Amino acid sequence: MHTVVLTKGVPDFREGQVSFDENGHLERGKTPTVMNPNDQFALEAALQTRVRHGGHVTLMSMGPPGYKDVLREGMASVYADDLYLISDREMAAADTWATSITLSAAIEKLGTPDLVFAGFKTADGETGHTGPQTCWCLDMPIITHVVSLDVDEEAGTLRAKRLVEGDIEEIETVEASFPAFVVADPEFVPSYRSASHRLTLKDLRAETRERAENFEDHLTIWDHADINVDPDYIGLDGSPTIVSSVDPIPKAPAEREATMVSPTSREEMTEVLEAMQPLAAGATGTAEATGDD
Amino acid sequence: MSDTGQEHYEAVVVGAGPGGAAAAATLANYGVETLVLERGVEAGSKNVSGGLIYAEESAPYTIDDLFPGFREEAAERPITEYFLHNVAGRDVKTFDLTDLHEHDTEWSDAVLRRKMDSWLAERVHEKTRETGGGLLSGVRVNGLLRENGRIVGVTCDELDPITADIVVAADGVNSELARDAGLMNWEHPEQWFQGVKAVVDVPGDVITERFGIGEGEGVAHLFSGDLFQDVRGGGFLYTNQESLSIGTVFHLDSLVAEQAEPHELLDGLLTHPLLAEWLGDDYTEIEYSAKLVPDSKKVALREPHKDRLVVVGDAAGQMQAQGPIIKGMNHAVSAGALAAEAFAEAKSRNSPETAGELYAQKLRAEGVMQKLRPRGYDAVSAVGERGAVANLTDSLLTSSVGRIGVRLLGGQLERLYNTPALSMMVPDTRTPYVTLPTVIAEELGTPVTDENTVEPPSLEERIGDLTYDTDIGNPHIKLRDNSFEASGAAVTACPVSAVNFGGGCYREETMQTNGHEERVVSLDTQPCVECGTCAIVADTEWNHPRGGKGVEFTQG
Ligand SMILES: Cc1cc2nc3c(=O)[nH]c(=O)nc-3n(C[C@H](O)[C@H](O)[C@H](O)COP(=O)(O)OP(=O)(O)OC[C@H]3O[C@@H](n4cnc5c(N)ncnc54)[C@H](O)[C@@H]3O)c2cc1C
Ligand code: SF4
């Protein structure tokens, strides 16, 4: 089985990492780039097929040269057999459309894999376009919001459980034949119910740690010529999207007044209850009012 | 795969403590395809011992035979001196029991279980992987797999059922497998000890200075007498490389009878003037932990096997209390390796189903069973533990006649304490645990003048310092009967619960029913350290948490 996982570098939005200027604009230069957190689930899904059916997992990204650290991170934190970075000045400032053209060309250059995985939305753009568009270019069936996956290698099919409309309450099971495109949901849980699978997983993880240290040995960097695409269709030139303006999210209403309490005795707790009394009275008042409607 | 489509291994070993590690390594040495399943996130994360691991001269296997480099890489300090302190108030009479400690001892090292077991597990995984198996942590075996009523494998929370030609239950005290097989029941508190321990941060150079030992040396101090109220048992202090292990081991029935709070008994030891010079002024506790220990004299299984199941180590009750010396890990190693050897032999004779019987034979032939359940003990206990006789010796000892006797014996007492045969036969009465040491200290001891300034952390702080991965909404222990009569003993005996403490596992509550008040207990398993006490002293449905869930010890 050959699987390709698509990933993207995003600003590390975790507290302490991310940095904004006084206008509330992200300072990319001061904010480290990390693997898009949702792509981890795509990698987990690919790893599951690798463990259960063998083969190999390719992790691929399009972006500036610095994105090789994003690939290293994916290799170290989950798994990858080899890494591909599609990087070229011509590709700069691509929108999701130009990105999809680029990625699909790179995937085809690899030879059509059995499965392509993508994560659900990136943490920066939040468009959720790139996966489905790439899939469209590749002309594969797509299954989105996948939470669990079973592959029948002999039949060349996969059976996936997916959230209907992204709702955890409603799950449907769908089948598709290879090659197929799978978008893993953040609710995706890999399943290893046999000891031999878990032992294989342990072997792979143990190797991977070492491999990630020498990740450059497993890294291939391609430019537009390598993947045979016309510069007019990629990068800024190939991007039909025009961002007309960006509105800052309004600030939260003025901070509310808060008193910190940590009651340790009955007396202190009573004080807290007393302080809450007026609020509680208000709440019941409303409840009654609605009840009267 | 077996005929039924289930996953199959020649051998499945449940538990990666010393027993499981020894069994798995030996099986692998014989080329047996071996799968090891351990419920902790990492081997050792669930385990607690005092602990001194012994390599006995007479033992069929020792841990360093099976795992070269063990002493250098997995152990703490070798124990070169061994003292017993008889305590009565401030009076202390110290016996040098190094002779007893060295009897039949090739070497003995202090260990911390997280470090030791995870080190062993790495080697076990490497060895067993070569056989086509390997070691998996975070997997809890929840029962035995049966076919036509016979044991053929295991069932797990995390994996589909697995069949095996031999299942080695090395799952420690409160073995769910031994229970499932009907080999052990958890009903009698007098068959168990409860061990509680604090690991205290002390730099290595301070240890050598305060204990007057060299860099590669270590020391053991044991404590008995009146410093534990009237509870039968004793205390220990062992030197690690960069910490001290200080703890207590008590008969569970005595803890329950005295309604003693285990953490307070530990604090009684930590704050005794005798410990002042070793603990100094800045006391930093790294970890509080607890675990039950079986009393092999009473529960070591004479036939620790059934169908394809063999039971080794604590799971089979193979934990020997030899006077103050506690020997569990070494016997688990011997038993694990003997069970493996038995399977390999049985298999080579094309009758793997005889492995269990062969294992039991080997335990007897190698003298392990005699150490665990000395033949003489039944005779001593028959007389020694009966109430009237016990009280007689107790009051005789405290009478002026007895006291004169103790004074006359004087130095010879130390020699008597150093007699291995006697120390194996100590009856479970107050006399040897409380009365005799107290009288010895009163008659022969000298007062300690140091002031102990240690303020041990509260139970709440101790729980707060532990790491838990709580299995929310899926408590591993359920109260079957919440009446105080049935389960109230746990309120005090649980090492992380206490009377009037709301942050523990067990709480006493009053419930209004039909106009009268009823005493009941409630249970919250979140702070549970999985010691096993309430499996015995309360009416519970008791299981270990799912793989990787629950408490995670960093020291052990
Ligand atoms: C306070 C205290 C002091 C002690 N002092 C000493 C001492 O000084 N010297 C000494 O020799 N002994 C001492 N002991 C006893 C010693 O710790 C035990 O006898 C020894 O650990 C037994 O080894 P074992 O391999 O049988 O079981 P354990 O070491 O308990 O190992 C059992 C393993 O099985 C795993 N397990 C349990 N259930 C399952 C399941 N269902 N599925 C998967 N895995 C499971 C556990 O996580 C654990 O890793 C002491 C014990 C205590 C509590
Ligand atoms: S709840 Fe039971 S098993 Fe858990 S710590 Fe308390 S007594 Fe031990």
Side-chain angles (χ1 to χ4, degrees):
Chain A
M1 290 262 311
H2 182 201
T3 60
V4 174
V5 181
L6 302 176
T7 187
K8 177 173 190 285
V10 296
D12 190 348
F13 285 110
R14 283 170 310 169
E15 202 151 0
Q17 301 290 332
V18 69
S19 155
F20 295 100
D21 68 15
E22 65 266 32
N23 299 322
H25 292 281
L26 179 73
E27 294 187 293
R28 289 222 178 226
K30 290 192 186 163
T31 305
T33 300
V34 294
M35 182 174 78
N36 175 43
N38 278 343
D39 295 347
Q40 180 171 341
F41 305 101
L43 261 181
E44 290 283 2
L47 174 57
Q48 181 190 296
T49 61
R50 169 74 167 86
V51 166
R52 293 209 204 158
H53 310 285
H56 77 277
V57 176
T58 300
L59 180 60
M60 178 185 284
S61 187
M62 189 201 90
Y67 270 33
K68 61 184 184 188
D69 279 325
V70 172
L71 294 173
R72 184 199 48 79
E73 184 193 336
M75 185 179 236
S77 65
V78 186
Y79 184 77
D81 291 283
D82 45 31
L83 309 173
Y84 280 82
L85 178 63
I86 322 302
S87 187
D88 190 330
R89 275 172 184 261
E90 302 281 354
M91 295 172 191
D95 68 359
T96 59
W97 179 250
T99 306
S100 302
I101 300 267
T102 314
L103 288 173
S104 55
I107 291 168
E108 278 174 343
K109 163 95 194 221
L110 281 175
T112 304
D114 298 302
L115 291 171
V116 180
F117 290 93
F120 173 64
K121 285 199 218 173
T122 52
D124 53 353
E126 289 252 348
T127 65
H129 295 168
T130 311
Q133 285 173 172
T134 310
C135 174
W136 185 82
C137 297
L138 291 166
D139 197 19
M140 290 181 183
I142 187 166
I143 310 176
T144 57
H145 289 292
V146 169
V147 293
S148 79
L149 190 67
D150 278 303
V151 163
D152 185 338
E153 218 187 347
E154 262 170 50
T157 56
L158 74 142
R159 181 187 280 250
K161 287 205 167 80
R162 66 179 297 269
L163 305 182
V164 178
E165 317 234 338
D167 180 358
I168 188 77
E169 298 296 319
E170 208 182 325
I171 292 180
E172 65 179 8
T173 305
V174 293
E175 253 186 44
S177 50
F178 297 165
F181 197 102
V182 174
V183 179
D185 192 87
E187 298 290 333
F188 180 87
V189 195
S191 161
Y192 301 104
R193 294 285 306 175
S194 90
S196 68
H197 289 162
R198 287 196 183 210
L199 289 167
T200 307
L201 178 67
K202 194 170 165 173
D203 289 346
L204 293 181
R205 284 246 157 91
E207 291 166 22
T208 242
R209 222 163 290 149
E210 232 184 75
R211 250 202 326 223
E213 279 169 25
N214 309 311
F215 75 101
E216 304 222 21
D217 297 350
H218 308 277
L219 174 71
T220 308
I221 300 178
W222 280 345
D223 61 16
H224 75 273
D226 291 321
I227 57 172
N228 227 346
V229 290
D230 184 336
D232 289 349
Y233 290 97
I234 59 171
L236 189 58
D237 294 346
S239 295
T241 314
I242 296 163
V243 180
S244 60
S245 74
V246 177
D247 294 328
I249 300 169
K251 284 223 169 92
E255 297 239 324
R256 267 166 287 186
E257 213 177 282
T259 320
M260 295 303 291
V261 289
S262 46
T264 52
S265 65
R266 178 176 278 270
E267 287 69 36
E268 285 171 333
M269 197 58 217
T270 313
E271 282 171 28
V272 176
L273 288 175
E274 276 166 9
M276 283 169 63
Q277 206 105 53
L279 303 173
T284 23
T286 334
E288 272 162 21
T290 24
D292 285 342
D293 282 351
Chain B
M1 289 279 159
S2 66
D3 314 337
T4 51
Q6 276 154 336
E7 204 177 359
H8 179 85
Y9 289 85
E10 257 189 300
V12 169
V13 176
V14 183
T26 311
L27 284 164
N29 287 345
Y30 281 104
V32 176
E33 177 201 38
T34 305
L35 174 70
V36 186
L37 301 173
E38 162 59 45
R39 70 186 180 93
V41 271
E42 183 185 53
S45 63
K46 294 292 183 183
N47 302 343
V48 181
S49 84
L52 303 186
I53 186 161
Y54 282 85
E56 289 185 330
E57 282 159 4
S58 61
Y61 287 91
T62 62
I63 191 94
D64 61 331
D65 289 344
L66 294 170
F67 298 94
F70 174 88
R71 299 191 67 195
E72 298 74 25
E73 292 168 38
E76 298 289 319
R77 289 168 187 270
I79 297 302
T80 42
E81 295 170 46
Y82 197 95
F83 300 100
L84 173 69
H85 305 278
N86 299 279
V87 179
R90 274 182 173 272
D91 289 338
V92 176
K93 173 68 187 172
T94 300
F95 290 158
D96 183 345
L97 296 194
T98 308
D99 282 352
L100 179 65
H101 166 73
E102 284 176 352
H103 168 76
D104 194 23
T105 301
E106 200 182 303
W107 55 263
S108 163
D109 292 350
V111 291
L112 290 167
R113 292 296 296 277
R114 181 70 184 257
K115 176 173 149 192
M116 165 176 141
D117 294 12
S118 58
W119 185 91
L120 290 172
E122 256 178 60
R123 272 125 202 103
V124 166
H125 179 65
E126 270 168 31
K127 271 177 177 281
T128 51
R129 197 79 194 100
E130 280 169 24
T131 68
L135 181 147
L136 292 174
S137 52
V139 176
R140 169 180 164 256
V141 173
N142 59 21
L144 294 163
L145 181 70
R146 290 182 171 81
E147 236 172 62
N148 304 323
R150 294 180 67 80
I151 298 165
V152 295
V154 295
T155 58
C156 311
D157 290 344
E158 293 78 13
L159 302 176
D160 295 333
I162 300 168
T163 59
D165 299 336
I166 183 114
V167 175
V168 181
D171 50 342
V173 74
N174 296 90
S175 159
E176 290 167 84
L177 296 191
R179 175 182 62 177
D180 189 342
L183 293 171
M184 276 270 185
N185 67 52
W186 300 347
E187 278 156 29
H188 308 287
E190 63 275 15
Q191 297 177 338
W192 313 88
F193 301 96
Q194 184 198 68
V196 173
K197 165 168 123 158
V199 178
V200 184
D201 186 24
V202 184
D205 52 335
V206 179
I207 292 179
T208 49
E209 185 197 310
R210 285 189 190 155
F211 290 87
I213 51 178
E215 221 168 84
E217 291 177 339
V219 53
H221 290 279
L222 286 299
F223 309 89
S224 63
D226 71 355
L227 74 178
F228 301 119
Q229 300 160 22
D230 264 343
V231 190
R232 280 184 279 119
F236 61 83
L237 180 158
Y238 306 136
T239 52
N240 302 316
Q241 266 158 25
E242 301 280 337
S243 62
L244 303 175
S245 290
I246 306 180
T248 54
V249 177
F250 295 110
H251 282 276
L252 190 52
D253 56 328
S254 177
L255 263 180
V256 171
E258 304 293 336
Q259 294 181 2
E261 299 277 8
H263 69 287
E264 286 178 5
L265 296 174
L266 175 66
D267 292 348
L269 173 61
L270 290 169
T271 56
H272 193 275
L274 184 56
L275 273 77
E277 62 165 322
W278 299 320
L279 293 181
D281 289 332
D282 48 349
Y283 176 85
T284 314
E285 198 170 292
I286 311 173
E287 184 170 271
Y288 175 78
S289 60
K291 178 86 64 207
L292 284 194
V293 194
D295 185 349
S296 69
K297 294 194 292 298
K298 292 167 181 160
V299 286
L301 299 174
R302 293 194 191 279
E303 295 294 335
H305 58 95
K306 189 175 185 182
D307 305 335
R308 294 186 198 172
L309 176 78
V310 291
V311 190
V312 310
D314 275 11
Q318 297 164 340
M319 210 321 297
Q320 179 196 7
Q322 183 186 13
I325 294 180
I326 303 174
K327 289 183 170 174
M329 293 183 275
N330 59 314
H331 293 312
V333 168
S334 292
L338 289 176
E341 200 187 280
F343 174 72
E345 271 179 45
K347 183 185 139 188
S348 71
R349 289 187 215 145
N350 278 328
S351 51
E353 68 287 351
T354 58
E357 258 166 62
L358 197 54
Y359 160 55
Q361 273 173 28
K362 284 175 185 285
L363 283 175
R364 289 189 292 270
E366 295 289 348
V368 180
M369 200 41 95
Q370 169 60 14
K371 290 176 193 160
L372 296 171
R373 289 194 85 144
R375 243 167 263 122
Y377 176 77
D378 291 339
V380 180
S381 64
V383 194
E385 284 168 23
R386 258 184 235 137
V389 186
N391 283 333
L392 188 70
T393 50
D394 225 37
S395 49
L396 180 70
L397 197 56
T398 47
S399 71
S400 51
V401 181
R403 284 172 182 279
I404 291 168
V406 166
R407 249 176 282 156
L408 285 178
L409 277 169
Q412 281 178 56
L413 270 171
E414 185 169 73
R415 221 193 56 227
L416 282 176
Y417 265 80
N418 267 311
T419 313
L422 277 184
S423 67
M424 278 167 88
M425 307 281 185
V426 178
D428 289 342
T429 61
R430 284 188 78 236
T431 315
Y433 284 102
V434 186
T435 319
L436 181 59
T438 308
V439 171
I440 290 174
E442 281 169 359
E443 296 304 318
L444 306 172
T446 44
V448 195
T449 52
D450 291 339
E451 289 306 325
N452 185 324
T453 59
V454 169
E455 284 179 27
S458 66
L459 202 45
E460 191 175 9
E461 289 164 330
R462 283 171 164 157
I463 294 169
D465 285 343
L466 286 169
T467 305
Y468 295 95
D469 180 356
T470 306
D471 197 356
I472 297 158
N474 195 10
H476 57 285
I477 309 170
K478 294 191 184 108
L479 271 172
R480 217 177 284 149
D481 181 343
N482 74 340
S483 71
F484 195 84
E485 298 77 65
S487 300
V491 176
T492 47
C494 168
V496 288
S497 301
V499 175
N500 293 327
F501 172 54
C505 291
Y506 284 89
R507 279 162 252 206
E508 183 185 344
E509 284 167 6
T510 45
M511 219 168 62
Q512 303 289 343
T513 36
N514 305 328
H516 70 278
E517 283 196 343
E518 210 184 313
R519 282 173 96 191
V520 295
V521 292
S522 68
L523 167 64
D524 168 10
T525 54
Q526 199 282 319
C528 174
V529 292
E530 301 160 28
C531 74
T533 298
C534 65
I536 319 273
V537 307
D539 192 355
T540 56
E541 212 176 284
W542 199 98
N543 290 299
H544 290 106
R546 284 194 295 148
K549 296 290 176 186
V551 73
E552 180 187 339
F553 295 124
T554 60
Q555 306 290 313

